[in-house]
Amino acid sequence: MSDPHIAHTARSWPTRLGLVAAGLGITVIPDLALPALPTGVRAVAVTDTYWPGRATVAVTRPHPSAQTQAMVTALQNQAARLREPPEDS
């Protein structure tokens, strides 16, 4: 299978979904957007075992202030909590 040929990209959701509804393209949407799909657009679940998940990057100056470092540490702590397995209820 060869790589796809991308002829056009769209930034806005209405344009993306309009192109899909017209049969002129595909797009990736979050699960949260499924109820808002227009007529003529069908969602297909795709599982990519090679995709590691979402990533967040905090960009700071080379020598961040104490406040900035505290925020980055808080983000790292929260991210670590999100990776923990859920507790049995």
Side-chain angles (χ1 to χ4, degrees):
M1 187 162 143
S2 65
D3 291 335
H5 173 71
I6 300 171
H8 179 75
T9 60
R11 290 175 94 90
S12 74
W13 283 107
T15 302
R16 290 178 189 181
L17 296 175
L19 288 168
V20 171
L24 299 172
I26 62 170
T27 192
V28 177
I29 63 168
D31 288 342
L32 185 64
L34 290 174
L37 290 179
T39 302
V41 174
R42 181 174 65 113
V44 177
V46 177
T47 303
D48 183 352
T49 56
Y50 296 104
W51 187 64
R54 295 183 180 188
T56 301
V57 178
V59 179
T60 68
R61 293 181 177 210
H63 304 288
S65 67
Q67 294 89 344
T68 300
Q69 189 56 53
M71 178 56 86
V72 170
T73 300
L75 289 170
Q76 290 170 327
N77 291 340
Q78 185 61 35
R81 289 183 60 213
L82 292 173
R83 286 191 300 266
E84 293 174 359
E87 294 180 17
D88 292 333
S89 298

